[in-house]
Amino acid sequence: YKELDAVHENVLQLCYTCPMYNLDKWSAAGLISSRPGALASEALRSWFNYGGGADLMNKMMEGYNVMTFPGALSPLPEEVFFHSKKKIESVEDLKSIKARCMGDAGEILKRMGMATVIIPGGELYEAMKRGTIDAFEYSTLASNWDMHFNEVAEYVYLSPVRAPCDPQVFFVNKDAWNELPDDLKLLVKTFIDRFTQAQQEYLVYESIQALEKFKAYGNKVVKVPDEVNKALAAEAAKFYEEKVASEPPIFGEIYNSMKAYGEAYDSMK
Amino acid sequence: YKELDAVHENVLQLCYTCPMYNLDKWSAAGLISSRPGALASEALRSWFNYGGGADLMNKMMEGYNVMTFPGALSPLPEEVFFHSKKKIESVEDLKSIKARCMGDAGEILKRMGMATVIIPGGELYEAMKRGTIDAFEYSTLASNWDMHFNEVAEYVYLSPVRAPCDPQVFFVNKDAWNELPDDLKLLVKTFIDRFTQAQQEYLVYESIQALEKFKAYGNKVVKVPDEVNKALAAEAAKFYEEKVASEPPIFGEIYNSMKAYGEAYDSMK
């Protein structure tokens, strides 16, 4: 995960990566990533490009010879909440499940009483087969179908709360960018925007196809109960409010900007 | 509304327009437009570009020297359900409201007992002032704020059902398109996709800002009760099923394709 250093030092001029890989530099980078209670794709893209998100990210990156492209987001449809062998019908049920869950979501679910462990994606199939875990999150419906996860878990739980989207970003070397003539700048930005949007649309389409495959195989596709969604959202809010108090100011600036934008967006839907 | 003829006859090579303006040619054109129970923006774009939507539209247009661009959609966030002087708390309440409501939504609400009338947008302010109508739909929050509609209606009702989005399309002369070299084809398509996506993001952002203005002015921003949303969706489904039975086959092909895609999409959310 050295892309950012490579772009900063102009070894690379541009990279496409997950902001969360740069938590060692900026604790706030994970806010613009797959995390509980974050903005879903449409809200995230418009926040990033018009609601001040790109400016805040560039502010976070001050001191580096790197900038982020407005528009250079690739939101996915929500990740699968969990592939699970056990039913999830209440917050209480979480406490009886041992699950692979990474990042902030893992920490938040642990606070809610879940036994969470960290396991690489490639080992999930075996871990489920052997009973090391009862459930796990991984990626999108389409990618998870390709991993044959239908064979190791009866239930596919869906929810918009744990990982509303999984944005990637483009990081660009500032000097290299500034040397480009204006017409090429426009072309690069336009193609990047077009690519990110097409990727998101295609992922939506792929997920829809994959959902049908899980059902046809016999998996039970279930929406997470409202009670669990609400409790997870509330615990996530507490978790991040605590971080706002302890992290550098930019963390709070980004968190509060996203939160306000998300509340306004939700009141419109 | 003669854009389509102009493009067909190569007077224009390209136009950006509302599909519904071509109902005189194709009764199915209105399906891919602002209509009750249609797909919202993310689902619509991915259906159009990957779920077979563009192919069906081009099939609908057979016999014309015109094609539609995949990706050339500009979905809006939902239109305002109604600016209203009266409360809407039940399906029953609809019957006591005289409202301006155009197109299919107007017909469907009339079937539900509402007194609907057709009035040009520019006359809505006066019609509300004079008491000719109690409520009206028009456009997005941002455009409606600019029309000063906050001054003539206390309630701003929001709902995802009446007009989930308002897609526009690009129509292109086939001969002119086929004469373009491949690199220019790519450029034109890319810029169009980028433009439509940016427009949609900006409209989301603008709507969020406008919502705050309505609230600050003193308007009551209210979500339409579930009961009313469900009844409207059910009546819309009946209305379109009847049309499928009486219109040319392409109508049913497009309607059923959108319906199946929407159901699959909703089961993922």
Side-chain angles (χ1 to χ4, degrees):
Chain A
Y1 302 145
K2 292 282 175 199
E3 296 104 327
L4 198 280
D5 294 310
V7 174
H8 173 59
E9 288 157 19
N10 212 8
V11 176
L12 293 175
Q13 293 182 327
L14 182 147
C15 75
Y16 183 50
T17 187
C18 176
M20 213 200 272
Y21 294 162
N22 300 287
L23 284 172
D24 57 326
K25 295 183 176 64
W26 314 293
S27 59
L31 291 171
I32 313 152
S33 211
S34 166
R35 67 162 176 96
L39 305 172
S41 54
E42 184 176 80
L44 185 71
R45 280 188 69 102
S46 70
W47 170 77
F48 195 85
N49 288 331
Y50 296 99
D55 292 343
L56 284 171
M57 258 200 102
N58 284 320
K59 185 173 172 186
M60 174 186 85
M61 293 158 61
E62 258 170 21
Y64 285 80
N65 191 19
V66 179
M67 58 189 283
T68 301
F69 273 134
L73 287 166
S74 170
L76 302 175
E78 300 106 47
E79 280 190 7
V80 177
F81 186 84
F82 275 120
H83 295 271
S84 178
K85 288 178 183 172
K86 294 186 176 176
K87 281 194 189 177
I88 304 173
E89 291 177 334
S90 66
V91 177
E92 204 52 35
D93 285 346
L94 295 179
K95 295 180 186 164
S96 64
I97 294 173
K98 189 172 180 191
R100 181 260 194 178
C101 195
M102 315 291 279
D104 289 354
E107 289 192 47
I108 293 161
L109 284 162
K110 190 178 278 176
R111 287 161 59 128
M112 294 173 75
M114 201 170 208
T116 63
V117 291
I118 291 175
I119 297 178
E123 294 170 22
L124 290 171
Y125 187 99
E126 273 302 300
M128 286 291 278
K129 273 270 190 206
R130 291 179 193 202
T132 314
I133 51 173
D134 307 307
F136 63 95
E137 50 79 10
Y138 185 61
S139 179
T140 62
L141 286 162
S143 110
N144 293 6
W145 174 260
D146 292 340
M147 300 279 279
H148 299 270
F149 290 154
N150 53 303
E151 298 167 10
V152 293
E154 184 179 2
Y155 298 98
V156 179
Y157 276 99
L158 302 176
S159 154
V161 175
R162 192 188 50 78
C165 71
D166 186 15
Q168 312 289 304
V169 294
F170 285 84
F171 289 132
V172 176
N173 181 275
K174 277 185 197 167
D175 296 335
W177 179 250
N178 290 331
E179 280 163 25
L180 279 186
D182 284 350
D183 56 344
L184 287 186
K185 278 182 182 156
L186 178 64
L187 268 185
V188 172
K189 282 183 106 165
T190 301
F191 274 88
I192 281 179
D193 278 359
R194 202 272 166 193
F195 161 76
T196 56
Q197 174 58 19
Q199 184 184 3
Q200 201 256 339
E201 284 171 22
Y202 184 68
L203 286 167
V204 170
Y205 170 71
E206 259 198 324
S207 287
I208 285 176
Q209 306 296 105
L211 191 66
E212 299 303 314
K213 292 179 196 165
F214 278 106
K215 283 181 186 166
Y217 183 85
N219 279 190
K220 294 191 174 112
V221 179
V222 194
K223 297 203 184 186
V224 170
D226 268 359
E227 178 203 326
V228 177
N229 281 335
K230 279 183 188 152
L232 177 58
E235 189 64 42
K238 270 174 62 186
F239 175 84
Y240 288 113
E241 300 292 348
E242 288 169 25
K243 285 215 173 211
V244 166
S246 64
E247 296 288 338
I250 186 70
F251 191 99
E253 280 184 68
I254 293 178
Y255 178 75
N256 288 320
S257 172
M258 291 181 96
K259 189 178 162 212
Y261 199 84
E263 284 167 359
Y265 181 80
D266 286 343
S267 70
M268 197 178 70
K269 293 296 277 189
Chain B
Y1 303 146
K2 291 283 174 198
E3 297 105 326
L4 199 280
D5 294 310
V7 174
H8 173 60
E9 288 158 17
N10 212 9
V11 176
L12 293 175
Q13 293 182 327
L14 182 147
C15 76
Y16 183 50
T17 186
C18 176
M20 214 200 274
Y21 294 162
N22 300 287
L23 284 173
D24 57 327
K25 294 184 176 65
W26 313 294
S27 59
L31 291 172
I32 311 152
S33 209
S34 166
R35 67 160 175 98
L39 305 172
S41 54
E42 185 175 79
L44 185 71
R45 281 188 68 102
S46 70
W47 170 77
F48 195 85
N49 287 331
Y50 297 100
D55 292 341
L56 285 171
M57 259 199 100
N58 283 321
K59 185 173 172 185
M60 174 187 85
M61 293 158 63
E62 259 171 19
Y64 285 81
N65 192 19
V66 179
M67 58 190 281
T68 302
F69 272 135
L73 288 166
S74 170
L76 302 174
E78 299 106 47
E79 280 190 6
V80 177
F81 186 86
F82 275 120
H83 294 272
S84 178
K85 289 177 182 171
K86 294 186 175 176
K87 281 194 189 176
I88 304 172
E89 290 176 335
S90 67
V91 178
E92 205 51 35
D93 285 347
L94 295 178
K95 296 181 185 163
S96 64
I97 294 172
K98 189 173 180 189
R100 182 261 195 181
C101 196
M102 315 290 279
D104 290 352
E107 288 193 48
I108 293 161
L109 284 162
K110 188 178 278 176
R111 286 161 60 125
M112 295 172 74
M114 200 172 208
T116 63
V117 292
I118 291 174
I119 297 179
E123 293 170 22
L124 290 171
Y125 188 98
E126 273 303 299
M128 286 291 279
K129 272 271 190 208
R130 292 179 190 198
T132 314
I133 51 174
D134 307 308
F136 62 96
E137 50 79 9
Y138 186 62
S139 179
T140 63
L141 286 161
S143 110
N144 294 5
W145 174 261
D146 293 339
M147 298 280 278
H148 298 270
F149 290 153
N150 54 304
E151 298 167 9
V152 294
E154 185 179 2
Y155 298 98
V156 178
Y157 276 100
L158 303 176
S159 154
V161 175
R162 192 189 50 78
C165 71
D166 187 12
Q168 313 288 306
V169 294
F170 284 84
F171 288 132
V172 176
N173 181 275
K174 277 185 198 169
D175 296 335
W177 179 249
N178 290 332
E179 279 163 24
L180 278 187
D182 283 351
D183 58 342
L184 288 186
K185 278 182 182 158
L186 177 64
L187 268 185
V188 171
K189 281 183 108 165
T190 302
F191 274 88
I192 280 180
D193 278 359
R194 202 272 168 195
F195 161 76
T196 55
Q197 174 58 20
Q199 183 185 3
Q200 201 256 340
E201 285 171 22
Y202 185 67
L203 286 167
V204 170
Y205 170 72
E206 259 197 324
S207 287
I208 287 176
Q209 307 295 106
L211 191 67
E212 299 303 313
K213 292 180 195 164
F214 279 106
K215 283 180 185 165
Y217 182 86
N219 279 190
K220 293 188 176 118
V221 179
V222 193
K223 297 201 184 188
V224 170
D226 269 357
E227 177 202 327
V228 177
N229 281 334
K230 279 183 189 154
L232 177 57
E235 189 64 41
K238 269 173 64 184
F239 175 84
Y240 288 113
E241 300 292 347
E242 288 169 24
K243 286 216 172 209
V244 166
S246 63
E247 296 288 339
I250 187 69
F251 191 98
E253 280 184 67
I254 294 178
Y255 179 74
N256 288 321
S257 172
M258 292 181 94
K259 188 179 163 213
Y261 199 85
E263 284 168 358
Y265 181 80
D266 286 344
S267 70
M268 198 179 69
K269 294 295 279 188

